[in-house]
Amino acid sequence: MKSRWERIFSLAARLMLGALFIAASIDKIAHPGEFAKIIHNYQILPDSLINIAAIVLPWLEGLLGLALVTGVFLPGAAVLSNLLLLSFFSALLYNLARGLNVHCGCFTTKITGEPETAWYVVRDSGFLLLGMFVLVQVFRQRSLAKSRLIVE
Protein backbone atom coordinates (compact mmCIF):
# COMPACT_ATOMS: atom_id res chain seq x y z
CA MET A 1 0.00 0.00 0.00
CA LYS A 2 1.38 3.39 -1.00
CA SER A 3 1.43 6.19 1.52
CA ARG A 4 -0.59 9.33 0.96
CA TRP A 5 2.54 11.31 0.01
CA GLU A 6 3.62 8.64 -2.46
CA ARG A 7 0.22 8.81 -4.13
CA ILE A 8 0.33 12.61 -4.24
CA PHE A 9 3.87 12.63 -5.66
CA SER A 10 2.96 9.96 -8.20
CA LEU A 11 -0.11 11.92 -9.33
CA ALA A 12 1.88 15.17 -9.51
CA ALA A 13 4.55 13.49 -11.66
CA ARG A 14 1.92 12.06 -14.01
CA LEU A 15 0.18 15.43 -14.32
CA MET A 16 3.50 17.18 -14.96
CA LEU A 17 4.42 14.69 -17.68
CA GLY A 18 0.98 15.04 -19.25
CA ALA A 19 1.17 18.83 -19.14
CA LEU A 20 4.64 18.65 -20.68
CA PHE A 21 3.34 16.63 -23.64
CA ILE A 22 0.33 18.91 -24.09
CA ALA A 23 2.51 22.03 -23.98
CA ALA A 24 4.94 20.46 -26.46
CA SER A 25 2.14 19.74 -28.92
CA ILE A 26 0.41 23.12 -29.08
CA ASP A 27 2.80 25.17 -31.23
CA LYS A 28 3.61 22.19 -33.45
CA ILE A 29 -0.08 21.56 -34.15
CA ALA A 30 -0.54 25.25 -34.97
CA HIS A 31 2.54 25.40 -37.25
CA PRO A 32 3.13 22.01 -38.92
CA GLY A 33 5.16 23.53 -41.76
CA GLU A 34 7.64 25.11 -39.34
CA PHE A 35 7.82 21.88 -37.37
CA ALA A 36 8.55 19.99 -40.59
CA LYS A 37 11.59 22.25 -41.11
CA ILE A 38 12.84 21.40 -37.62
CA ILE A 39 12.39 17.68 -38.27
CA HIS A 40 14.25 18.07 -41.56
CA ASN A 41 17.18 19.75 -39.76
CA TYR A 42 17.68 16.60 -37.66
CA GLN A 43 18.61 14.78 -40.88
CA ILE A 44 17.29 11.46 -39.58
CA LEU A 45 14.03 10.77 -41.42
CA PRO A 46 13.76 10.35 -45.17
CA ASP A 47 12.19 13.37 -46.88
CA SER A 48 9.07 11.35 -47.70
CA LEU A 49 8.28 10.93 -43.96
CA ILE A 50 8.99 14.45 -42.72
CA ASN A 51 5.57 15.99 -43.47
CA ILE A 52 3.73 12.97 -42.09
CA ALA A 53 5.79 13.11 -38.90
CA ALA A 54 5.19 16.87 -38.60
CA ILE A 55 1.44 16.30 -38.70
CA VAL A 56 1.10 13.08 -36.69
CA LEU A 57 3.70 13.56 -33.96
CA PRO A 58 2.21 16.70 -32.34
CA TRP A 59 -1.25 15.14 -32.23
CA LEU A 60 0.20 11.99 -30.70
CA GLU A 61 1.97 14.11 -28.08
CA GLY A 62 -1.25 15.98 -27.31
CA LEU A 63 -3.33 12.81 -27.02
CA LEU A 64 -0.71 11.14 -24.82
CA GLY A 65 -0.64 14.24 -22.63
CA LEU A 66 -4.42 14.18 -22.28
CA ALA A 67 -4.35 10.47 -21.46
CA LEU A 68 -1.73 11.05 -18.77
CA VAL A 69 -3.63 13.99 -17.26
CA THR A 70 -7.01 12.25 -17.28
CA GLY A 71 -5.73 8.79 -16.39
CA VAL A 72 -7.42 7.22 -19.43
CA PHE A 73 -5.46 4.39 -21.12
CA LEU A 74 -2.75 5.06 -18.55
CA PRO A 75 -0.51 2.00 -19.06
CA GLY A 76 -0.38 2.52 -22.82
CA ALA A 77 0.11 6.27 -22.46
CA ALA A 78 2.97 5.73 -20.00
CA VAL A 79 4.72 3.28 -22.33
CA LEU A 80 4.22 5.36 -25.49
CA SER A 81 5.25 8.62 -23.83
CA ASN A 82 8.46 6.98 -22.63
CA LEU A 83 9.15 5.62 -26.10
CA LEU A 84 8.70 9.11 -27.52
CA LEU A 85 10.93 10.64 -24.86
CA LEU A 86 13.57 8.02 -25.53
CA SER A 87 13.42 8.57 -29.28
CA PHE A 88 13.65 12.36 -28.86
CA PHE A 89 16.59 11.99 -26.50
CA SER A 90 18.29 9.54 -28.87
CA ALA A 91 17.83 11.89 -31.83
CA LEU A 92 19.34 14.72 -29.82
CA LEU A 93 22.35 12.62 -28.78
CA TYR A 94 22.75 11.28 -32.31
CA ASN A 95 22.97 14.79 -33.73
CA LEU A 96 25.30 15.88 -30.96
CA ALA A 97 27.60 12.94 -31.80
CA ARG A 98 27.49 13.94 -35.49
CA GLY A 99 28.43 17.51 -34.59
CA LEU A 100 25.07 18.92 -35.68
CA ASN A 101 23.78 21.62 -33.38
CA VAL A 102 20.03 21.73 -34.09
CA HIS A 103 17.10 23.41 -32.39
CA CYS A 104 15.13 20.70 -30.67
CA GLY A 105 11.67 21.99 -31.62
CA CYS A 106 10.35 20.67 -28.33
CA PHE A 107 8.06 23.51 -27.27
CA THR A 108 8.23 25.99 -30.11
CA THR A 109 8.67 26.02 -33.84
CA LYS A 110 10.29 29.48 -33.73
CA ILE A 111 13.99 29.14 -34.52
CA THR A 112 15.96 32.01 -33.00
CA GLY A 113 19.58 32.27 -31.95
CA GLU A 114 22.01 29.42 -31.47
CA PRO A 115 20.63 26.08 -30.31
CA GLU A 116 21.52 25.14 -26.75
CA THR A 117 22.13 21.45 -27.34
CA ALA A 118 23.94 20.86 -24.04
CA TRP A 119 20.97 22.35 -22.18
CA TYR A 120 18.56 20.23 -24.24
CA VAL A 121 20.44 17.09 -23.19
CA VAL A 122 20.27 18.02 -19.49
CA ARG A 123 16.61 19.04 -19.71
CA ASP A 124 15.58 15.99 -21.72
CA SER A 125 17.41 13.73 -19.27
CA GLY A 126 15.13 15.14 -16.59
CA PHE A 127 12.08 14.56 -18.78
CA LEU A 128 13.18 10.98 -19.38
CA LEU A 129 13.66 10.40 -15.63
CA LEU A 130 10.21 11.84 -14.98
CA GLY A 131 8.74 9.59 -17.65
CA MET A 132 10.47 6.50 -16.24
CA PHE A 133 9.20 7.35 -12.77
CA VAL A 134 5.64 7.67 -14.07
CA LEU A 135 5.97 4.39 -15.99
CA VAL A 136 7.18 2.53 -12.90
CA GLN A 137 4.43 4.05 -10.76
CA VAL A 138 1.68 3.21 -13.24
CA PHE A 139 2.69 -0.44 -13.47
CA ARG A 140 3.45 -0.67 -9.75
CA GLN A 141 -0.02 0.65 -8.95
CA ARG A 142 -1.55 -1.72 -11.48
CA SER A 143 0.34 -4.65 -9.95
CA LEU A 144 -0.80 -3.68 -6.45
CA ALA A 145 -4.41 -3.44 -7.63
CA LYS A 146 -4.20 -6.93 -9.18
CA SER A 147 -2.67 -8.41 -6.04
CA ARG A 148 -5.47 -6.91 -3.93
CA LEU A 149 -8.06 -8.54 -6.20
CA ILE A 150 -6.36 -11.91 -5.82
CA VAL A 151 -6.21 -11.58 -2.00
CA GLU A 152 -9.82 -10.48 -1.68
Side-chain angles (χ1 to χ4, degrees):
M1 178 71 81
K2 287 172 37 172
S3 75
R4 179 175 183 231
W5 289 110
E6 284 178 296
R7 288 192 310 273
I8 290 171
F9 189 70
S10 180
L11 176 63
R14 183 171 55 87
L15 293 176
M16 283 175 29
L17 186 63
L20 181 98
F21 270 90
I22 292 168
S25 72
I26 293 171
D27 195 47
K28 293 181 237 178
I29 289 171
H31 304 102
E34 296 300 315
F35 185 50
K37 291 176 188 174
I38 291 170
I39 293 172
H40 179 266
N41 289 339
Y42 273 86
Q43 299 178 21
I44 294 174
L45 289 178
D47 289 346
S48 61
L49 295 180
I50 289 173
N51 288 337
I52 294 168
I55 292 168
V56 172
L57 190 58
W59 286 100
L60 178 60
E61 287 176 326
L63 290 173
L64 287 173
L66 285 173
L68 289 165
V69 167
T70 61
V72 176
F73 304 119
L74 203 48
V79 169
L80 288 175
S81 62
N82 273 278
L83 288 174
L84 276 182
L85 288 170
L86 188 58
S87 65
F88 298 153
F89 190 67
S90 298
L92 195 59
L93 291 178
Y94 179 64
N95 275 319
L96 190 60
R98 294 189 314 170
L100 296 177
N101 202 14
V102 297
H103 285 277
C104 78
C106 300
F107 296 98
T108 183
T109 57
K110 309 288 184 274
I111 299 175
T112 57
E114 284 296 309
E116 301 175 27
T117 308
W119 163 243
Y120 296 153
V121 169
V122 171
R123 183 197 62 193
D124 287 7
S125 295
F127 293 163
L128 195 52
L129 287 172
L130 177 64
M132 298 289 231
F133 175 78
V134 169
L135 181 69
V136 167
Q137 292 302 311
V138 164
F139 281 94
R140 181 174 170 229
Q141 184 172 347
R142 192 172 183 192
S143 176
L144 287 172
K146 282 184 179 180
S147 66
R148 277 187 292 224
L149 287 174
I150 293 171
V151 172
E152 294 173 356

